[in-house]
Amino acid sequence: MNVREPLALMRRDELLSDGTGWRALAASVSSGDLVAVRPGVFAFGADWRRQRSEQEAVTRAHAYALMARHEPVFSGPSAAALHGLPLFRVPADDVHVLAGDMRAGAARGVVRHDGPIIDDDVVEVGGLRCTSLARTLADLARSASEETTVAAADAALHRYVDRNEYDEDAAASLIDAARGHLGGFARRVDVAHRALEFADGRAQLPGESVSRVYFHRLGFPIPRLQVPVPGPKGTPYAVDFGFEGMRLFGEFDGEAKYTDPEFLQGRTAQQAIMDEKKREDWIRATTGWQLVRWMMPNLQSPSVFGSLLRGMGVRPPA
């Protein structure tokens, strides 16, 4: 997992010492050229507006650390973002920190979580202190939705996939460590355990993780993930979901597949779409299985996803 980098941050005193006057600073904020990330800390507006939620959380954490009186320990969604995990449908407006010996209380844009700070639970990531990966997953499992937890846990476990080989023992060790952090908490513990146990590092995108959660809620059997299908030139295709008894393949189409240069590899979006169509036709023709596709807008809720599947003639086994 790659740690997301924060945006370039500027302290107010640094801007003023460089010759920027109070009025000019206020005008830059008013025009949107600068954004006040926290009181006294600014970022360039154009960069700020291009951020994804996860990078915003990282930037807010670094901005808070710049002005904090004591070195903070970030937790929950802030720690997840620092560890490079997705924040599915989690707003990045607040910074989450452990209160430690300080009294937990309200502060604008800061959520302080009560409880002691245990050294073994704290790591340094990108120059900031935050809860360990296992503790972070446990905290998300206790406080966030199942979709958020499974997407983050899948991403954490995906680092145990190497050349399509999944180290299930290493993945199980991380999940066991995360579940070990649930022992001292009563809140949502059963839900938290189930969400962590459901995690699977073979999922490649948050949309795949959420799709799997919704398939389960709709009564479908647990699918195989990244199912290999022999391709026309000997290199196998990997299909996101395979339901053996139903002779059904499923594919989540992330937007990045048609927009991200890393995925396009020099192709145009139109070429990528045509390549996907050829791949899909080959898979259907050679396996005889049905293949259905969906995108993130179809994952608004289990009911919306279920309606889409029924419209394609796909229902869970009776």
Coordinates of all heavy atoms in Angstrom, one line a residue, residues 6 57-66 71-74 78 82 122-131:
P6 N 0.3 14.3 1.3 CA -0.5 15.5 1.5 C -0.2 16.5 0.4 O 0.8 16.5 -0.3 CB -0.1 16.0 2.8 CG 1.4 15.6 2.9 CD 1.5 14.3 2.2
A57 N -8.3 13.7 3.6 CA -8.1 13.2 4.9 C -6.6 13.3 5.4 O -6.3 13.7 6.5 CB -8.6 11.8 5.1
V58 N -5.7 12.9 4.4 CA -4.3 12.9 4.7 C -3.8 14.4 4.9 O -3.1 14.7 5.8 CB -3.5 12.2 3.6 CG1 -2.0 12.5 3.8 CG2 -3.8 10.7 3.7
T59 N -4.3 15.2 4.0 CA -3.9 16.7 4.0 C -4.4 17.3 5.3 O -3.7 18.1 6.0 CB -4.4 17.4 2.8 OG1 -3.9 16.8 1.6 CG2 -4.0 18.9 2.8
R60 N -5.6 17.0 5.7 CA -6.1 17.6 6.9 C -5.3 17.1 8.1 O -5.1 17.9 9.1 CB -7.6 17.2 7.1 CG -8.5 18.0 6.1 CD -10.0 17.7 6.5 NE -10.9 18.3 5.5 CZ -11.3 19.6 5.5 NH1 -10.8 20.4 6.5 NH2 -12.1 20.1 4.6
A61 N -4.9 15.8 8.1 CA -4.1 15.3 9.2 C -2.8 16.1 9.3 O -2.4 16.5 10.4 CB -3.9 13.8 9.1
H62 N -2.1 16.3 8.2 CA -0.9 17.0 8.2 C -1.0 18.5 8.6 O -0.2 19.0 9.4 CB -0.2 16.9 6.8 CG 0.5 15.6 6.6 ND1 1.9 15.5 6.9 CD2 0.1 14.4 6.1 CE1 2.3 14.3 6.6 NE2 1.2 13.6 6.1
A63 N -2.1 19.1 8.2 CA -2.4 20.5 8.6 C -2.6 20.5 10.1 O -2.2 21.5 10.8 CB -3.6 21.0 7.9
Y64 N -3.4 19.6 10.7 CA -3.6 19.6 12.1 C -2.3 19.4 12.9 O -2.0 20.1 13.9 CB -4.6 18.5 12.5 CG -4.9 18.4 14.0 CD1 -5.6 19.3 14.6 CD2 -4.3 17.3 14.7 CE1 -5.9 19.2 16.0 CE2 -4.5 17.2 16.1 CZ -5.3 18.2 16.7 OH -5.6 18.1 18.1
A65 N -1.5 18.5 12.4 CA -0.2 18.2 13.1 C 0.7 19.5 13.1 O 1.5 19.7 14.0 CB 0.5 17.1 12.4
L66 N 0.6 20.3 12.0 CA 1.4 21.5 11.9 C 1.1 22.5 13.1 O 2.0 23.2 13.5 CB 1.2 22.2 10.6 CG 2.0 21.8 9.4 CD1 1.6 22.6 8.2 CD2 3.5 22.0 9.6
E71 N 2.1 16.3 19.9 CA 2.1 15.4 18.7 C 0.9 14.5 18.8 O 0.8 13.7 19.7 CB 3.4 14.6 18.7 CG 3.6 13.8 17.4 CD 4.9 13.0 17.4 OE1 5.5 12.8 18.4 OE2 5.3 12.6 16.3
P72 N 0.0 14.6 17.8 CA -1.2 13.8 17.8 C -1.0 12.4 17.4 O 0.0 12.0 16.7 CB -2.1 14.5 16.8 CG -1.2 15.2 15.9 CD 0.1 15.5 16.6
V73 N -1.9 11.5 17.8 CA -2.0 10.1 17.3 C -3.3 10.0 16.5 O -4.4 10.1 17.1 CB -1.9 9.1 18.4 CG1 -2.1 7.7 17.8 CG2 -0.6 9.2 19.1
F74 N -3.2 9.9 15.2 CA -4.4 9.8 14.4 C -5.1 8.4 14.4 O -4.4 7.4 14.5 CB -4.1 10.2 13.0 CG -3.6 11.7 12.9 CD1 -2.3 12.0 12.8 CD2 -4.5 12.7 12.8 CE1 -1.8 13.3 12.8 CE2 -4.1 14.0 12.7 CZ -2.7 14.3 12.7
S78 N -8.9 8.9 9.7 CA -7.7 9.6 9.4 C -6.5 8.6 9.4 O -5.7 8.7 8.5 CB -7.4 10.7 10.5 OG -8.4 11.7 10.6
L82 N -4.1 7.6 6.1 CA -2.6 7.6 6.2 C -2.1 6.2 5.8 O -1.0 6.1 5.2 CB -2.2 7.9 7.6 CG -2.4 9.4 8.0 CD1 -2.2 9.6 9.5 CD2 -1.4 10.3 7.2
V122 N 0.7 2.1 18.1 CA 1.0 3.3 17.4 C 2.2 3.1 16.5 O 3.2 2.5 16.9 CB 1.3 4.5 18.4 CG1 1.7 5.7 17.6 CG2 0.1 4.7 19.3
V123 N 2.0 3.6 15.2 CA 3.1 3.5 14.2 C 3.3 4.8 13.6 O 2.4 5.7 13.8 CB 2.8 2.4 13.1 CG1 2.7 1.0 13.7 CG2 1.5 2.8 12.4
E124 N 4.4 5.0 12.9 CA 4.6 6.3 12.2 C 4.4 6.0 10.7 O 5.0 5.1 10.1 CB 6.0 6.8 12.4 CG 6.3 8.2 11.7 CD 7.6 8.8 12.1 OE1 8.0 8.9 13.3 OE2 8.3 9.1 11.1
V125 N 3.6 6.8 10.1 CA 3.3 6.7 8.6 C 3.4 8.0 8.0 O 2.7 9.0 8.4 CB 1.9 6.1 8.4 CG1 1.7 5.9 6.9 CG2 1.8 4.7 9.1
G126 N 4.3 8.2 7.0 CA 4.4 9.5 6.4 C 4.8 10.6 7.3 O 4.4 11.8 7.0
G127 N 5.5 10.3 8.3 CA 5.9 11.3 9.3 C 4.9 11.7 10.4 O 5.2 12.5 11.2
L128 N 3.8 11.0 10.4 CA 2.8 11.2 11.4 C 2.6 10.0 12.2 O 2.7 8.8 11.7 CB 1.5 11.7 10.8 CG 1.5 13.0 10.0 CD1 0.1 13.3 9.5 CD2 2.0 14.1 10.8
R129 N 2.2 10.1 13.5 CA 1.9 9.0 14.3 C 0.4 8.6 14.2 O -0.5 9.5 14.1 CB 2.2 9.3 15.8 CG 3.6 9.5 16.1 CD 3.8 10.0 17.5 NE 3.6 8.9 18.4 CZ 3.2 9.1 19.7 NH1 2.8 10.3 20.1 NH2 3.1 8.1 20.5
C130 N 0.1 7.3 14.0 CA -1.3 6.9 13.9 C -1.4 5.5 14.5 O -0.4 4.8 14.8 CB -1.8 7.0 12.5 SG -1.0 5.8 11.3
T131 N -2.7 5.1 14.6 CA -2.9 3.7 15.1 C -2.4 2.7 14.1 O -2.3 3.0 12.9 CB -4.4 3.5 15.3 OG1 -5.1 3.8 14.2 CG2 -4.9 4.2 16.6

